[in-house]
């Protein structure tokens, strides 16, 4: 007899702390992660109006160093990484040779010849393997640094004040999609002004051994500002309201960046060849001539919640598919992102519905994002 062992879930450095706070844990990309601590709605609204604290240590950090690190990343990814200044970050993608999206990434330029690539947890190994393979022939080294970092995020309008009370780093001078080294509550950190919530906020890359100390310091410093711990559930509704794509939902290997409405991240003008260039040039031409299905926002007229995979319909015909859907605490109604035929993609298009268990529920087509914070 043979038995198949179930792989043990990975745990972050804050696992015991999450459990002590009564978090509901869930399996996410092989990690045991906090789904919620109490009310998902309360956590969501805390980030929109005050501040929330997240453990994002499941994300995958990969360091690329060496004299040709920039050239390697320009070849391996679709963006122009060589043009990113030291201390800045860029949203980009890694694609297959056929143009299909392997993952969406944030790349930080830490020094002249040192970059940190941050991949989604579910794709971190794929991204690592692809970068190692594509590094052949370049004077650069790709290093798996997933175990070298814990990642905490402080998000929400009160987050700058909370963080400022614990660091002397120049937060006022730190632009969106930029990062700088500093100390927070005595803990060495890469302080990045990035996030996945649609709010102002920071992501703090630190050593795993410092995670608990920093979490507790942030919790104490943020108490008077209304900061609370937040799980993955509200992170999903926050990013959905902000119209931010999630790999496996809005992005996949079956879609090119142009199919996903994110062709702007592909930089054909950069020097040299890059993986997927030929296929992506063809995809760009197709998209310009005949737009594929378009990613749109849908807002329910009723109360029934759409889920990924549900059909979008008009005049009795299927015209698209839901990629993400949830109740929106900010709008007070169910919302969804969906790929729909271009003929039904204009904001205000009427007669569109979602097939929810056989019933065609009416939805309004709206422009993304659903929510945009006041600057």
């Amino acid at each position: 007899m043979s038995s198949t062992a179930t792989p043990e879930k990975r745990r972050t450095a804050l696992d015991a702390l999450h459990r002590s706070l009564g978090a509901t844990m869930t399996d996410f990309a092989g990690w045991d992660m906090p789904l919620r601590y109490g009310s998902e709605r309360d956590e969501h609204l805390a980030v929109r109006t005050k501040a929330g604290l997240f453990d994002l240590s499941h994300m995958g950090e990969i360091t690329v160093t060496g004299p040709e690190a920039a050239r390697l990343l320009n070849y391996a990814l679709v963006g122009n990484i060589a043009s990113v200044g030291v201390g800045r970050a860029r949203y980009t993608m890694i694609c297959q040779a056929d143009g299909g999206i392997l993952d969406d990434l944030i790349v930080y330029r830490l020094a002249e010849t040192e970059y940190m690539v941050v991949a989604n947890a579910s794709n971190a190994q794929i991204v690592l393997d692809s970068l190692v393979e594509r590094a052949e022939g370049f004077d650069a080294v790709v290093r798996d640094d997933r175990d070298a970092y814990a990642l905490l995020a402080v998000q929400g309008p009160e987050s700058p004040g909370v963080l400022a009370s614990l660091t002397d780093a120049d937060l006022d001078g730190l632009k969106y999609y930029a990062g700088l080294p500093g100390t927070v509550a005595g803990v060495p950190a890469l302080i990045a002004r990035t996030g996945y919530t649609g709010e102002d906020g920071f992501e703090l890359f630190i050593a795993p051994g410092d995670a608990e100390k920093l979490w507790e310091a942030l919790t104490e410093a943020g108490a008077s500002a209304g900061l609370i711990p937040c799980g993955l559930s509200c992170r999903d509704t926050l990013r959905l309201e902000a119209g931010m794509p999630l790999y496996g939902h809005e992005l996949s290997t079956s879609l090119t960046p142009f199919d996903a409405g994110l062709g702007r991240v592909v930089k054909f003008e950069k020097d040299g060849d890059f993986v997927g260039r030929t296929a992506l040039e063809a995809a760009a031409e197709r998209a310009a001539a005949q737009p594929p299905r378009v990613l749109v926002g849908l807002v329910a007229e009723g109360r029934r919640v759409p889920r990924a995979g549900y059909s979008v319909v008009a005049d009795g015909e299927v015209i698209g598919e839901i990629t993400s859907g949830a109740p929106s605490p900010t709008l007070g109604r169910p919302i969804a992102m969906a790929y729909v035929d271009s003929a039904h993609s204009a904001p205000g298009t009427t007669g569109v519905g979602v097939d929810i268990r056989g019933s065609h529920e009416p939805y309004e087509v709206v422009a993304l994002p659903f929510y945009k914070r006041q600057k």
Side-chain angles (χ1 to χ4, degrees):
M1 291 179 66
S2 64
S3 62
T4 303
T6 302
E8 191 170 330
K9 285 183 284 190
R10 300 186 67 182
R11 298 185 173 192
T12 77
L14 292 168
D15 183 77
L17 189 147
H18 297 317
R19 294 171 193 278
S20 75
L21 292 172
T24 299
M25 306 297 286
T26 189
D27 182 357
F28 185 83
W31 289 81
D32 212 13
M33 296 296 294
L35 184 65
R36 71 182 75 82
Y37 298 86
S39 158
E40 294 168 8
R41 183 175 183 277
D42 288 350
E43 291 173 24
H44 180 110
L45 294 176
V47 176
R48 283 279 178 259
T49 61
K50 296 169 185 174
L53 178 59
F54 297 83
D55 177 10
L56 305 179
S57 301
H58 60 313
M59 300 295 283
E61 295 86 5
I62 302 162
T63 302
V64 181
T65 58
E68 293 189 323
R71 281 192 61 229
L72 163 59
L73 290 171
N74 262 18
Y75 169 72
L77 311 179
V78 301
N80 188 353
I81 308 306
S83 68
V84 178
V86 174
R88 300 307 301 268
R90 182 157 297 166
Y91 177 79
T92 187
M93 294 181 182
I94 182 168
C95 290
Q96 300 177 145
D98 66 1
I101 302 166
L102 282 171
D103 201 14
D104 60 335
L105 313 163
I106 296 181
V107 180
Y108 297 85
R109 190 169 195 167
L110 304 181
E112 192 62 33
T113 60
E114 181 179 4
Y115 296 81
M116 181 169 68
V117 177
V118 181
N120 286 297
S122 56
N123 295 327
Q125 189 64 49
I126 293 168
V127 173
L128 175 66
D129 293 344
S130 298
L131 288 175
V132 168
E133 181 183 331
R134 296 174 189 189
E136 188 174 345
F138 289 91
D139 187 3
V141 175
V142 177
R143 186 175 71 232
D144 181 0
D145 270 349
R146 285 176 287 178
D147 292 336
Y149 290 101
L151 176 58
L152 305 188
V154 190
Q155 299 281 301
E158 298 293 337
S159 59
V162 172
L163 195 58
S165 71
L166 296 173
T167 183
D168 58 5
D170 180 16
L171 300 183
D172 289 340
L174 188 63
K175 296 184 173 70
Y176 187 49
Y177 266 70
L180 82 170
T183 59
V184 183
V187 170
L190 171 66
I191 305 168
R193 201 161 206 153
T194 47
Y196 196 52
T197 63
E199 296 298 337
D200 192 9
F202 303 87
E203 295 183 320
L204 308 170
F205 295 86
I206 57 173
D210 291 330
E212 195 163 323
K213 176 184 176 183
L214 184 54
W215 178 281
E216 290 175 345
L218 287 163
T219 298
E220 186 177 340
S224 61
L227 176 145
I228 62 173
C230 295
L232 293 182
S233 184
C234 83
R235 189 168 184 253
D236 192 48
T237 53
L238 289 160
R239 69 93 194 167
L240 176 56
E241 287 184 350
M244 294 176 167
L246 177 64
Y247 196 90
H249 289 255
E250 288 72 42
L251 309 174
S252 71
T253 53
S254 65
L255 297 170
T256 72
F258 294 95
D259 297 326
L262 291 166
R264 64 181 181 275
V265 306
V266 182
K267 303 301 181 186
F268 293 120
E269 71 277 9
K270 65 181 175 176
D271 292 337
D273 194 16
F274 63 90
V275 177
R277 177 191 273 273
T278 301
L280 289 169
E281 286 173 340
E285 289 179 13
R286 286 195 306 271
Q290 174 60 49
R293 282 186 167 178
V294 178
L295 187 65
V296 301
L298 298 174
V299 178
E301 293 181 18
R303 310 303 302 177
R304 298 187 72 184
V305 179
R307 298 297 181 191
Y310 286 11
S311 295
V312 183
V313 295
D315 299 322
E317 300 290 325
V318 174
I319 59 157
E321 185 176 302
I322 300 292
T323 54
S324 298
S328 165
T330 305
L331 275 64
R333 289 195 283 170
I335 59 172
M337 287 198 281
Y339 283 110
V340 302
D341 295 345
S342 56
H344 296 86
S345 64
T349 299
T350 58
V352 171
V354 176
D355 187 338
I356 302 180
R357 298 185 183 88
S359 173
H360 291 185
E361 301 291 326
Y363 273 73
E364 178 189 356
V365 178
V366 300
L368 291 170
F370 301 96
Y371 166 86
K372 202 165 188 177
R373 71 182 174 94
Q374 301 299 310
K375 298 292 185 182

